[in-house]
Amino acid sequence: LKEGMEARFRRHRDRGTAFREAMRDMGLTMMPVSEVVSANTLSAPFYPEGVKGGDFMKAIGTSDVMVAGGLLPGIKDTYFRVGHMGSVTNGDILTTVAAVDGALSACGYRK
């Protein structure tokens, strides 16, 4: 309440946009593809070609960052989910981006 709803909405939007930009800079495709309809509180990057979801989840599990696997039937093994809502800071976003980058590298991904 102290932060105010508009400020919180703006912070969620800014954190989500920054995270998705970092994922795109790494060469990942986002779901949805259009930023216009992306959620402010959750992002869903697709694994890049050659990276298996199980391998990625095992690799990122060695970091202090938690991500979630996909949920949508038929494609759940092709993407992962990252929440960036609540009290998430810029530092949290940077830490998560670094963990994703490290996990992708551990899986042999090179942009």
Side-chain angles (χ1 to χ4, degrees):
L1 292 175
K2 187 176 182 180
E3 179 181 22
M5 295 303 290
E6 290 305 315
R8 180 164 283 228
F9 294 153
R10 185 173 44 258
R11 183 169 51 79
H12 287 160
R13 184 193 65 234
D14 293 347
R15 301 295 191 283
T17 299
F19 180 79
R20 287 186 294 276
E21 285 177 6
M23 295 297 101
R24 288 185 187 100
D25 286 347
M26 281 191 240
L28 277 62
T29 302
M30 301 301 301
M31 177 179 20
V33 175
S34 172
E35 183 66 25
V36 174
V37 295
S38 292
N40 291 331
T41 56
L42 178 80
S43 293
F46 284 101
Y47 298 116
E49 188 173 328
V51 173
K52 295 181 181 174
D55 294 340
F56 173 84
M57 293 303 259
K58 183 176 180 182
I60 203 164
T62 65
S63 72
D64 291 332
V65 169
M66 293 174 55
V67 301
L71 289 175
L72 297 172
I75 64 167
K76 68 181 183 175
D77 296 327
T78 65
Y79 72 100
F80 62 100
R81 297 171 293 135
V82 176
H84 34 74
M85 62 187 126
S87 59
V88 172
T89 67
N90 285 332
D92 295 328
I93 295 297
L94 292 173
T95 298
T96 303
V97 168
V100 168
D101 186 49
L104 290 173
S105 292
C107 293
Y109 175 70
R110 306 288 181 264
K111 180 183 172 196

